[in-house]
Amino acid sequence: MIWEKTTIGKHCTVTSSKRFHLSDRSDSGIPFYCSKEIIQKVNGQEVTDCDYIKEEAYEEVKKKFGVPECGDLLITTRGTYGIPYIYNAEDKFYFADGNLTWLKGFDDQLMAEFLYYWILSYEGQKKIDAIAKGTAQKAVPISLIKDIELSIPDVETQKNIANILKSYDDLIENNQNQIKLLEEVAQRIYKEWFVDLRFPGHEDVSIIDGVPEGWKKDKAENFFDITIGKTPPRAEKQWFVDGNTGVPWLSISDMGNSGVYAFATSEGLTQEAVKKHNMKVVPSGTIFVSFKLTVGRVSIATTDMCTNEAIAHFYTDDDFKQAYTYCYLSNFEYDTLGNTSSISKAVNSKIIKAMPFVMPNESTILAFDRLVDPILNEIKNKQATCIKLKEARDRLLPKLMNGKIEA
């Protein structure tokens, strides 16, 4: 089979968005995404915190210049660059120029779906990395994306390749949707029991100072062993390795990509780094809470891990408290901890350790655990399934893209 060498710009329009003034921003309206939100969507996560532009401003741009349509391809080009996303029929958002590059108007020789998977391939990532500019925060220029070279087969083969790989992504998406539903069930039970205080037997329990009789309210550090992570000197690169090879070293970004359970980290630390810098390695089941910059991300360790200094570790020997603790920390209003307009500047390790924590009596927690722990375990299993499917897809991807396996 003959694969034709070509460039991306020969087969589609490579452009970006129109710039909006601050006066066009709004508290509601059309979601206005940057790279972060696209990455969340790629990871199957719901975007709950983003900027907005006014509906009328969006409609004006749509009329004059057009907006992304179903089948268009977006690529993150600032910060975490090289992440592709295909705009689908349910989407309705606009995006910040410079953060995303917009590929539209594909001709009949290159399929957007094939290009999507080519960008995910090792070759695609390597070529995008090669044209990234900058030091502190790299960005990928639109003009250079147009000139990226790739080899493409005939359209029918492109379609077959895309369909094979998409079958894995469809299974991943199906599992991600089930994970969302399961977490909603767990959180709904938590809110009924511990926010609305309609737990089993609530009719016969008195409320004293806002807390059911027999429950305890105290500083979190009086219920948990709370420790804080740290970062070895960044200039000493010998301490840092790939997350798959060293001791997993969790970042806030990793937490944003992980979901309920933290399985993987983008970076790891050597055993020498852990020993020399006295890194706190916490066991599986420890609950992580981010308390700097992005405050309030919560996830559960699936293996021995360490973290950076922006993450607190909540550990208890009582496994039956894990489900309740996860839900409590996920629902806690962290902005109540700060006394300035910027919560990211207000919360420190002393505050997070002293945060108020309500611990129900043991019988109530055990009853909750019997209901919710199986739900969390199902989420854990489905997250693990998604990881295996991604690994299988990624092993197949280069073989299809270089023609070693015929589609």
Side-chain angles (χ1 to χ4, degrees), residues 154-407:
D154 61 80
V155 173
E156 191 61 30
T157 302
Q158 289 181 44
K159 183 179 179 180
N160 291 340
I161 289 173
N163 285 341
I164 291 169
L165 296 169
K166 189 175 183 299
S167 66
Y168 287 88
D169 285 338
D170 288 344
L171 289 171
I172 292 168
E173 184 180 3
N174 182 49
N175 276 280
Q176 288 173 336
N177 289 336
Q178 291 182 52
I179 288 169
K180 286 180 187 176
L181 293 173
L182 287 166
E183 186 163 12
E184 286 173 6
V185 170
Q187 296 293 356
R188 192 160 57 243
I189 296 170
Y190 170 83
K191 288 174 182 176
E192 181 183 354
W193 284 36
F194 302 111
V195 177
D196 300 333
L197 295 181
R198 297 184 64 82
F199 53 90
H202 69 278
E203 304 93 337
D204 303 319
V205 177
S206 300
I207 305 298
I208 302 173
D209 295 330
V211 177
E213 187 176 7
W215 297 18
K216 296 178 182 178
K217 184 175 183 179
D218 205 340
K219 295 177 181 179
E221 62 187 348
N222 292 330
F223 295 115
F224 303 95
D225 177 15
I226 301 178
T227 55
I228 309 297
K230 63 169 69 170
T231 300
R234 272 293 185 184
E236 300 174 17
K237 298 185 183 301
Q238 70 269 26
W239 308 127
F240 299 90
V241 292
D242 184 85
N244 294 322
T245 57
V247 178
W249 182 64
L250 191 74
S251 67
I252 293 179
S253 177
D254 293 325
M255 292 178 73
N257 295 332
S258 69
V260 175
Y261 287 90
F263 279 88
T265 61
S266 56
E267 291 182 284
L269 300 177
T270 64
Q271 289 290 351
E272 292 78 9
V274 171
K275 186 180 293 186
K276 180 177 176 61
H277 297 286
N278 195 28
M279 302 293 296
K280 180 66 177 178
V281 179
V282 295
S284 174
T286 300
I287 299 175
F288 299 121
V289 179
S290 64
F291 64 94
K292 292 183 180 178
L293 300 178
T294 302
V295 178
R297 284 183 177 169
V298 182
S299 58
I300 305 172
T302 57
T303 186
D304 291 354
M305 288 183 166
C306 50
T307 77
N308 67 21
E309 67 280 3
I311 299 170
H313 324 137
F314 285 62
Y315 177 75
T316 175
D317 289 327
D318 299 324
D319 291 343
F320 68 90
K321 293 179 181 177
Q322 184 186 95
Y324 171 78
T325 303
Y326 171 78
C327 291
Y328 182 94
L329 294 172
S330 297
N331 285 276
F332 188 82
E333 295 182 4
Y334 291 89
D335 55 357
T336 61
L337 297 177
N339 54 13
T340 73
S341 60
S342 175
I343 186 67
S344 65
K345 295 178 181 178
V347 177
N348 55 40
S349 60
K350 185 177 180 180
I351 292 174
I352 207 75
K353 289 179 179 181
M355 67 181 283
F357 197 94
V358 176
M359 186 67 75
N361 58 31
E362 187 168 304
S363 62
T364 302
I365 293 184
L366 283 168
F368 181 76
D369 185 68
R370 283 193 292 270
L371 271 180
V372 176
D373 187 62
I375 296 173
L376 293 185
N377 279 328
E378 186 65 17
I379 289 173
K380 184 178 181 180
N381 292 336
K382 289 187 179 299
Q383 281 190 237
T385 298
C386 287
I387 291 169
K388 290 177 182 177
L389 286 167
K390 287 176 183 176
E391 289 172 349
R393 180 201 65 192
D394 292 345
R395 285 194 300 269
L396 188 59
L397 179 57
K399 296 176 183 178
L400 288 167
M401 286 297 171
N402 61 24
K404 285 186 178 179
I405 296 179
E406 288 194 12

Side-chain angles (χ1 to χ4, degrees), residues 34-39 42 74-85 98-101 116 118-142 144-145 148 253 257:
C34 294
S35 297
K36 179 186 74 173
E37 288 80 16
I38 290 297
I39 293 169
V42 167
L74 301 174
I75 308 171
T76 61
T77 45
R78 186 180 298 276
T80 304
Y81 56 82
I83 307 297
Y85 177 80
N99 276 259
L100 298 163
T101 295
Y116 168 88
W118 182 86
I119 291 168
L120 285 177
S121 72
Y122 174 78
E123 182 185 7
Q125 290 293 301
K126 190 174 180 181
K127 290 195 172 183
I128 289 176
D129 191 49
I131 62 174
K133 306 292 183 182
T135 52
Q137 187 181 56
K138 287 189 174 183
V140 181
I142 292 176
L144 297 183
I145 289 179
I148 290 178
S253 177
N257 295 332

